[in-house]
Amino acid sequence: MDYQIIVGLEVHVQLQTKTKLFCGCVNLFNPDNPNVQTCPVCTAMPGSLPVMNREAFSLAMKTAVAINCGIASFTKWDRKQYYYPDLPKAYQISQFDLPFSENGFLDIEVDGEQRKIGIIRAHLEEDAGKNMHDESGKGGDSKVDLNRCGTPLVEIVSEPDMRSAAEAKEYLEELKLLLTYIDVSDCNMQEGSLRCDANVNLHVTNDDGEKIATPIVEVKNLNSFRGVELAIEYEADRQWDIYQETGLKIGDVAKETRGWDATRGKTFGQRGKEDAADYRYFPDPDLVPVTVTEEEKQAVRDSLGELPAARRSRFIEEYSLSKYDASVIVSQGNSFTLYYESVAKSCGDGKQAANWLTQEVLREMNERKISIEDFPITSDGLATSLINRVRDKKISIKSAKEIFARLMEDFGESNESYGDNKAFDQRVEQLIEEMGLALVSDTGELEGVVDAVLAKEQNQKAIEDFKGGKQAAVGALMGQVMKQIKGADAQTVRKMIIEKIQNM
Amino acid sequence: MSIVGKTTGELLDSMNQGELSSVEIVQAFLDEIGRRDNEVNAFLSVRPEKALEEAKEVDQKISAGEQLGLLAGIPIALKDVLCTEGETTTCGSKMLENFVPPYDAHVVQRLKKSGVISLGKVNMDEFAMGSSTENSAFKTTGNPWNVEHAPGGSSGGSAAAVGANMAPLSIGTDTGGSIRQPASFCGVVGMKPTYGRVSRYGLVAFASSLDQVGPMANDVSGAATLLEAIAGHDHRDSTSINCPVPSYSDSVDKPLEGLKIGVADEHFGEGLGDEVRKSVENSLDVYRSQGAKIVNISLPHSKYAVAAYYLIAPSEASSNLARYDGVHYGYRTENFDNMIDMYAASRGEAFGDEVKRRIMLGTYALSSGYYDAYYLKALKVRRLIRQDFDQAFEKVDVIASPVTASPAFKIGELSDDPLAMYLSDIYTISANLAGLPGISVPVGLSGNDLPIGLQLLGPAFEEDRLFRAARMFEKETDWKTLKVS
Ligand SMILES: [Zn+2]
C-alpha cells in the first residue's frame, strides 16, 4: 500500500486599499485601538448601506490577471449569511456563483521540477472583525473589535493540484511574491493579511492496485509558511493512520474542519460554522452588479508590469545569472530586484552584482533585520565605490568586502545611511588608505618582494615542484608575497611568480 | 380656515405674506396633536421644544430676508423608520426601543436643508411589516375618520397624522403599498416614487429591493413639493439613480393634455368592493370630462404579484433583520447561558409575531434546496410583471386602479388572518415589484364616511405626470362630498 498527498489551498489576501471595501473607514492593521476604524456601515447600523470601493475592485482585477485568471464581464455581490459576533450584519458580502475571476494557474518549481497549479476562482469579499475572548480563565466577557470588519479580501481557491507539503509551501510563497510584486497586498502573515486554509486528503493505492481517496479535511488558519508545511505533513500522517485503521473513504463521513496548533505541532478537531453549512446565499439587493469592459481589462493587463517568473527568466538571460541566483534575488521582492538591476547596470557585471547582493548585502540585511529600502549603501555607491574599484584593480575583492563590512559597522553605530554618493566615495577612499588596502600592481615594488621570496632557501623545493608540473606549489609562494604587500593584486603576483620561475 | 386645515402651499403663502409665522404654525399643529393624538395615537415621540426653536430660527431668517429652503417653516411628521441623529428611532419594535442613531438618514438631511420642521416620529407596523399599524410594539393607531378603524399600514402613523390635521406633511415608506394604502384609508395623498428616486441611506431596511421613501400630504401639491425636497441622487446608496429631479411643485397645476388612462381588467375582478368600484369609476368620469381617454390594458401577470412579493420581501427581510442579534445594539435578553442562547432569546423576546413570521418565511425560501423553486422563481415573476407594465405604458400615460379592495377595515378585524391582511396589498404590490411610481389620491367617501383612494401608476421617473394627473382630479372636485352608497 502506498499513498499520495493531495492538497488544495484557499488563500485569503487582504488588499492594501486606503479604505475598506464598502465604506470610507481607513484600512489599517490596528489591533491596539479597538473599534476606532468604524462607521455606521461597517458596524451594521440600521439603515446603513454599502458602496463598493472601486480601488479594491481594481486591485482585485490586478490580482486576477497575475494569477492568469479570466476577468468576468459581469459580476455581482451575494450575501453569505451566518451568525457570529464579529460579523455585525450577520452576513458577509461575498461572491457566490459569479465571482469576478475564474480559471487561472500559478507555475511553481519544486526540486527543479516545474509544476502548474490550477486556480479555480478568485472572488472579492469583506473581512469580518475579531472576537477577543477573556483569557484569564475567569469567564470574563468576550469583546468584539470591528477595526478589521469590511477590509477587502480576495479569496483565491486552488485546484487540489499540490502533491506534497513542500509544493503547498512553494505555491503559497510564489503567490505571496506575486501579490507583493504587483502591490495589491503586503501579504503579512503575522498581521493576517495573508491567511491560508488547506484541504488535505490522500489517494491511497491498495496492494491490489485499487485507488481510494480518503475523506477531505480542511485545516484552517495556517498563519505561517512553516505552519502550512508542518500541518500538511502532520495531517497526511494522521490520515494515513486513520485509513489503515478504519478504511474510511471520501463520502463516508462529512468534511471535517480542523485547526492547527503550532505550539504542539498538531491539528485538532474544530466545531466550525461549517457544521450546519447553509449560508442561504442570495444576491445583495443593496449593491448593483459590476460590469467590466474589454478596455478596462486590457488596462489592468497593461498596468501590471513584469511579474516574478518573467523577471527571473530575464535576469538569467540578460545578466547571465544562474537559475539559483536569479531566484534568490527575485524572491527578495520587487525593491530588491530594482536595487540589483541598478547595481548590475552601474558596474556592468551582472554576475558580480549578484554575488554581492546574494552574499554581502543579504547577509547584512538579515543580521540587521533591515529591508533593502533601509539599506545604508545605495546601489550606485555599491557599484561605483566598491565593485568598480575591484574591476579596475584598485582594491582586491577581499579588501572590498572588508571595507563593506567596516561601512556596515559604522552604520550600525550611527544608524545613518550614506545618502550622498560623493561623500560615500570619499569615505571608501579614506578607508582604503587607513586599512592599507590599496592594490599594488606597481611591478617595480612587487618585483623586489617576489625576487626576495624566490631567492629564499626554504622556497627552492616549491619552485622545483612547480617546474615539475605541480601547479598548486605557486600558492605558498603567493601567500608569502601577499603577506608582505597587503594590497597586492593576486592575479599580478601569480603571473609574475610564474614568469620568473619559467625564466629561471 | 384654521391653521391646521391649510395645505402646505397655503401655509407657505401665509408666511410669505407675513400673515403667519412659522412659530404660530408649528404651535398650532402641536396644539392639534395635544388635542387629538390621545385618541388617534399617531405619534411615538413629539419634540415640541426643538420644533418651536427651529421655527423661531426660520422666522428670524424670514425677517432677515435670508434665502430659505423649499419648505422652510412647515411642520412634518416622520415615520419612525428613518434614522434621526440623536433622536430615538424605534421602527415600531421593542428591538430598537432605545436605539439612538449616530447619524441622519439622507432624507432627514434633505428635509433639514429644505427648512421643514419635524414635529416628531410617528407610529408604524414593526419594521414596516403590516397593513394596519397594529403590529407596532408600542401603540395602536386609530383612523382619524373613525378611530375604531385601522389607519392602514405600515405608514399608518404618517397617514393618520396628516388625516387628523396634526401635520400638513409626513414621510412614509412603501415596500408593498405602505404609503398608498394608509393614504387611501386616511383620505390623504401619498406617493411611492420610482425605486432609486429617493435615497434609502438611513432608512431602516425591510426589503431592500422594494423599499422606497415617499411623501404624504393633505393635498397633491404638498406631496409634490415634499418629493422635490427629498428626491435626488445619493452616492451612499448604490441603488440611488442619478437622474435629474424636475420641479414637481412648479408643474403640478398644469393639466395633462390628451391624457390616456389605462384600466386593467385584472384590477376590477373578484374581491373588489362595490363602494370602491363605484368611487373609482366616478373618478374616471371626472377625467373623461377633462378630455382624458380611458384605454383597456392587460397586466396578465399581476395575479402572481402577491405570491412573488411574499417570497422576495420576507427573503430580504430575513437577511436584513439578522443584524438584530443582541450583540452590537438594540435589545439583549437578560438571561442566557451561551451565545446561541443569547441570539435566540434576544430575537425571540424583542420581535413581534408578524416580523417572526416573515423572517421564518424568508429563511425558508432562501434555504438550500428551496432557493430555486421559491426565490429565483419569484424573481422571474418579478421580471414578467415589469414587462407587463412596459408593454402597457407603450399605450397609455398612466394606469388607474383601486388602492385597496375596500375602505379601512376595523382594528382587529384582520389581525388573526395574516393571509387576508397580505391580500389587502393586492393592487399596490405590483408597482414595488416593477420599481414604478404610484400615487394614491382621495376620490370619495364610503357610506360610513371612510375615505376611498384612487391609485395612479406611471412609468419609471414619471412622478411629475402622476402629480399632475392626481391634481387634475383634486382641482375639479371636493372629494369629501363624493359619497358613494
Ligand atoms: Zn466603516
Side-chain angles (χ1 to χ4, degrees):
Chain A
M1 273 205 300
D2 195 10
Y3 69 86
Q4 172 73 63
I5 305 178
I6 307 293
V7 183
L9 295 185
E10 285 173 23
V11 178
H12 284 92
V13 185
Q14 287 184 342
L15 300 178
Q16 49 193 14
T17 48
K18 286 191 265 320
T19 55
K20 293 183 180 182
L21 185 50
F22 296 113
C23 65
C25 290
V26 331
N27 172 22
L28 277 180
F29 180 66
N30 185 4
D32 298 330
N33 306 294
N35 296 313
V36 293
Q37 290 158 205
T38 56
C39 73
V41 176
C42 57
T43 55
M45 283 285 157
S48 65
L49 294 171
V51 177
M52 187 192 76
N53 176 349
R54 275 263 147 207
E55 186 198 5
F57 196 79
S58 82
L59 291 189
M61 287 198 290
K62 272 175 97 168
T63 306
V65 174
I67 54 176
N68 305 296
C69 279
I71 297 175
S73 301
F74 178 94
T75 182
K76 67 177 172 74
W77 301 100
D78 300 286
R79 294 182 180 180
K80 178 180 180 177
Q81 312 193 66
Y82 62 92
Y83 284 94
Y84 211 57
D86 65 8
L87 190 71
K89 293 192 297 295
Y91 59 81
Q92 177 192 31
I93 305 177
S94 181
Q95 300 194 293
F96 181 50
D97 52 341
L98 293 173
F100 77 91
S101 73
E102 285 180 291
N103 295 327
F105 64 88
L106 195 60
D107 285 321
I108 59 168
E109 192 181 306
V110 180
D111 298 332
E113 196 194 332
Q114 286 285 332
R115 300 270 294 123
K116 190 181 283 286
I117 308 301
I119 289 169
I120 298 173
R121 58 183 272 162
H123 70 256
L124 194 51
E125 62 187 24
E126 53 177 348
D127 209 344
K130 234 179 164 137
N131 294 338
M132 291 171 296
H133 303 293
D134 178 50
E135 277 165 8
S136 67
K138 290 173 193 148
D141 288 346
S142 292
K143 292 179 174 137
V144 184
D145 176 10
L146 297 178
N147 279 349
R148 195 179 73 175
C149 190
T151 295
L153 279 183
V154 171
E155 180 176 334
I156 300 168
V157 184
S158 86
E159 296 277 4
D161 281 353
M162 285 154 272
R163 294 291 175 265
S164 68
E167 281 188 17
K169 180 168 171 261
E170 182 55 35
Y171 166 83
L172 198 59
E173 283 182 339
E174 184 67 13
L175 189 60
K176 173 186 169 167
L177 182 64
L178 190 57
L179 300 181
T180 50
Y181 255 76
I182 59 172
D183 252 346
V184 298
S185 174
D186 63 13
C187 292
N188 185 328
M189 286 189 97
Q190 280 76 48
E191 294 181 359
S193 47
L194 180 72
R195 310 199 286 270
C196 181
D197 304 333
N199 285 298
V200 183
N201 75 333
L202 307 177
H203 284 181
V204 177
T205 311
N206 276 342
D207 292 338
D208 56 9
E210 186 196 5
K211 289 193 193 261
I212 288 162
T214 65
I216 296 173
V217 172
E218 181 171 13
V219 188
K220 285 211 160 287
N221 299 326
L222 300 169
N223 53 14
S224 74
F225 292 103
R226 188 81 185 116
V228 170
E229 204 173 14
L230 291 174
I232 293 169
E233 277 164 5
Y234 177 87
E235 198 43 39
D237 287 347
R238 193 188 67 86
Q239 290 182 19
W240 178 233
D241 289 347
I242 289 177
Y243 177 73
Q244 286 172 307
E245 233 171 80
T246 66
L248 282 174
K249 298 189 294 289
I250 193 163
D252 288 350
V253 287
K255 179 171 161 180
E256 190 190 357
T257 302
R258 297 179 72 82
W260 169 243
D261 184 335
T263 333
R264 293 187 179 79
K266 287 178 173 174
T267 63
F268 58 92
Q270 250 183 354
R271 207 200 68 90
K273 53 184 192 246
E274 233 79 10
D275 285 3
D278 183 357
Y279 291 123
R280 287 174 287 115
Y281 277 104
F282 81 108
D284 193 328
D286 286 332
L287 287 159
V288 286
V290 186
T291 51
V292 185
T293 64
E294 283 310 312
E295 291 74 41
E296 285 168 315
K297 291 182 199 174
Q298 193 53 48
V300 175
R301 286 183 210 115
D302 294 344
S303 75
L304 267 196
E306 191 176 40
L307 299 179
R311 192 161 290 179
R312 276 190 288 258
S313 308
R314 183 167 64 80
F315 281 5
I316 291 168
E317 179 87 359
E318 206 171 315
Y319 301 109
S320 315
L321 294 194
S322 67
K323 217 168 167 181
Y324 178 79
D325 277 350
S327 163
V328 169
I329 291 170
V330 170
S331 70
Q332 293 302 315
N334 195 27
S335 306
F336 193 84
T337 62
L338 296 179
Y339 187 97
Y340 165 74
E341 283 216 82
S342 168
V343 174
K345 288 206 168 97
S346 292
C347 74
D349 186 342
K351 191 79 193 117
Q352 274 305 322
N355 288 343
W356 274 90
L357 262 79
T358 57
Q359 292 162 30
E360 312 309 308
V361 175
L362 261 188
R363 191 188 59 238
E364 293 285 353
M365 276 169 60
N366 291 337
E367 270 174 17
R368 290 168 200 277
K369 295 190 170 51
I370 52 174
S371 67
I372 194 68
E373 283 89 348
D374 298 330
F375 201 70
I377 301 172
T378 64
S379 55
D380 224 37
L382 180 63
T384 39
S385 300
L386 290 169
I387 302 177
N388 286 356
R389 275 200 169 83
V390 175
R391 182 195 63 196
D392 300 341
K393 301 201 189 313
K394 297 275 176 17
I395 49 173
S396 70
I397 179 83
K398 191 164 153 280
S399 305
K401 287 178 180 175
E402 276 173 39
I403 296 167
F404 176 83
R406 180 66 186 277
L407 289 163
M408 291 304 295
E409 271 167 39
D410 290 355
F411 164 70
E413 278 158 25
S414 70
N415 217 358
E416 271 172 49
S417 46
Y418 306 95
D420 180 348
N421 283 332
K422 205 174 155 211
F424 178 70
D425 196 61
Q426 279 166 0
R427 175 72 185 141
V428 171
E429 195 62 56
Q430 193 190 355
L431 283 175
I432 293 172
E433 198 135 313
E434 260 178 49
M435 297 162 76
L437 297 177
L439 196 60
V440 183
S441 43
D442 168 4
T443 40
E445 192 189 341
L446 259 184
E447 260 191 286
V449 180
V450 170
D451 286 345
V453 168
L454 292 181
K456 278 189 183 165
E457 186 55 42
Q458 78 225 41
N459 287 335
Q460 297 314 306
K461 184 170 183 315
I463 294 170
E464 286 313 309
D465 284 351
F466 181 77
K467 280 181 175 167
K470 203 173 164 192
Q471 292 284 327
V474 83
L477 302 171
M478 276 178 72
Q480 291 174 47
V481 177
M482 305 285 282
K483 210 173 169 187
Q484 289 186 47
I485 307 178
K486 263 199 170 160
D489 175 41
Q491 291 290 348
T492 318
V493 174
R494 183 185 182 85
K495 217 171 125 200
M496 190 179 285
I497 292 174
I498 292 169
E499 267 171 26
K500 284 193 182 285
I501 294 176
Q502 279 164 350
N503 293 336
M504 266 177 189
Chain B
M1 187 187 270
S2 74
I3 294 175
V4 296
K6 287 180 189 285
T7 64
T8 304
E10 288 163 354
L11 291 169
L12 285 169
D13 284 347
S14 309
M15 275 193 285
N16 276 339
Q17 284 153 26
E19 290 161 10
L20 283 174
S21 68
S22 176
V23 168
E24 286 170 305
I25 293 170
V26 168
Q27 189 59 59
F29 282 99
L30 287 170
D31 291 347
E32 194 67 7
I33 293 169
R35 199 175 71 81
R36 286 213 66 187
D37 203 41
N38 54 358
E39 191 194 10
V40 177
N41 287 311
F43 282 83
L44 290 174
S45 59
V46 185
R47 55 199 291 282
E49 292 85 9
K50 285 185 194 163
L52 285 168
E53 189 57 40
E54 287 162 18
K56 217 163 116 187
E57 282 168 31
V58 170
D59 287 335
Q60 280 162 357
K61 282 184 185 168
I62 291 174
S63 43
E66 280 180 46
Q67 185 77 22
L68 290 166
L70 206 53
L71 287 165
I74 303 293
I76 196 167
L78 300 178
K79 187 174 181 179
D80 206 16
V81 71
L82 288 158
C83 286
T84 42
E85 185 179 346
E87 293 180 21
T88 310
T89 300
T90 67
C91 292
S93 180
K94 192 176 171 186
M95 183 59 86
L96 293 178
E97 188 169 6
N98 299 307
F99 175 66
V100 180
Y103 71 106
D104 274 336
H106 179 79
V107 166
V108 173
Q109 288 177 340
R110 294 291 296 265
L111 288 173
K112 284 184 175 171
K113 227 177 120 193
S114 79
V116 83
I117 291 161
S118 166
L119 296 170
K121 313 276 295 269
V122 285
N123 203 17
M124 56 186 281
D125 285 302
E126 183 177 10
F127 285 103
M129 297 177 195
S131 306
S132 67
T133 313
E134 290 166 287
N135 296 331
S136 166
F138 305 113
K139 50 169 71 166
T140 302
T141 300
N143 190 311
W145 288 78
N146 179 342
V147 292
E148 308 262 291
H149 287 253
S154 65
S155 309
S158 308
V162 175
N165 283 345
M166 296 188 287
L169 296 174
S170 67
I171 290 286
T173 63
D174 190 316
T175 306
S178 281
I179 286 175
R180 291 158 289 161
Q181 183 254 22
S184 166
F185 279 12
C186 294
V188 306
V189 177
M191 144 124 7
K192 179 204 98 74
T194 311
Y195 184 77
R197 182 50 111 182
V198 180
S199 168
R200 292 185 297 116
Y201 192 81
L203 158 64
V204 181
F206 157 19
S208 311
S209 75
L210 302 160
D211 294 343
Q212 191 61 196
V213 185
M216 301 178 87
N218 59 12
D219 75 332
V220 174
S221 171
T225 314
L226 182 52
L227 180 62
E228 193 177 325
I230 62 172
H233 182 244
D234 173 19
H235 65 92
R236 292 171 302 182
D237 174 1
S238 308
T239 62
S240 156
I241 306 230
N242 200 348
C243 167
V245 180
S247 177
Y248 304 118
S249 54
D250 280 353
S251 57
V252 64
D253 274 322
K254 287 182 205 141
L256 294 154
E257 302 281 331
L259 179 64
K260 276 186 273 182
I261 300 175
V263 172
D265 284 346
E266 290 86 353
H267 288 151
F268 294 85
E270 205 188 330
L272 179 62
D274 284 342
E275 290 181 320
V276 174
R277 181 192 304 273
K278 270 188 200 161
S279 226
V280 169
E281 278 166 3
N282 290 346
S283 70
L284 293 177
D285 287 338
V286 174
Y287 282 108
R288 275 195 196 91
S289 73
Q290 295 182 74
K293 266 208 186 87
I294 310 299
V295 181
N296 272 316
I297 54 155
S298 177
L299 299 168
H301 295 97
S302 61
K303 57 179 174 287
Y304 305 117
V306 172
Y309 176 88
Y310 277 98
L311 288 168
I312 293 168
S315 292
E316 293 181 7
S318 73
S319 176
N320 286 333
L321 271 65
R323 66 188 62 195
Y324 308 111
D325 58 10
V327 176
H328 298 93
Y329 47 76
Y331 180 87
R332 181 188 289 177
T333 183
E334 300 270 322
N335 304 304
F336 55 91
D337 293 331
N338 57 46
M339 190 177 79
I340 303 292
D341 207 32
M342 185 196 73
Y343 285 149
S346 300
R347 290 167 68 77
E349 291 162 22
F351 284 144
D353 286 348
E354 184 59 30
V355 169
K356 286 180 190 162
R357 188 177 293 126
R358 297 201 195 189
I359 289 173
M360 284 189 277
L361 269 173
T363 304
Y364 186 81
L366 291 178
S367 295
S368 96
Y370 300 98
Y371 179 84
D372 290 2
Y374 293 122
Y375 188 75
L376 221 54
K377 191 71 143 277
L379 289 187
K380 284 179 190 154
V381 170
R382 187 174 187 174
R383 275 195 296 277
L384 293 172
I385 287 171
R386 173 73 194 234
Q387 271 173 29
D388 281 358
F389 279 111
D390 288 346
Q391 282 161 14
F393 285 122
E394 283 170 15
K395 288 190 275 184
V396 298
D397 302 315
V398 299
I399 294 170
S401 79
V403 183
T404 58
S406 54
F409 46 81
K410 278 197 165 152
I411 289 169
E413 194 179 325
L414 299 180
S415 48
D416 292 331
D417 188 353
L419 197 60
M421 191 73 95
Y422 293 174
L423 288 170
S424 72
D425 291 334
I426 192 162
Y427 306 114
T428 50
I429 271 173
S430 293
N432 299 82
L433 289 171
L436 301 177
I439 194 168
S440 170
V441 59
V443 289
L445 280 177
S446 70
N448 56 350
D449 284 330
L450 288 167
I452 293 169
L454 170 75
Q455 175 174 248
L456 297 171
L457 302 174
F461 300 102
E462 295 292 347
E463 288 86 355
D464 178 64
R465 191 185 295 173
L466 296 182
F467 284 130
R468 289 165 69 187
R471 177 66 186 147
M472 282 167 72
F473 179 89
E474 187 188 58
K475 202 155 62 175
E476 286 301 308
T477 61
D478 178 1
W479 67 273
K480 287 174 189 169
T481 64
L482 301 177
K483 192 158 170 168
V484 289
S485 53

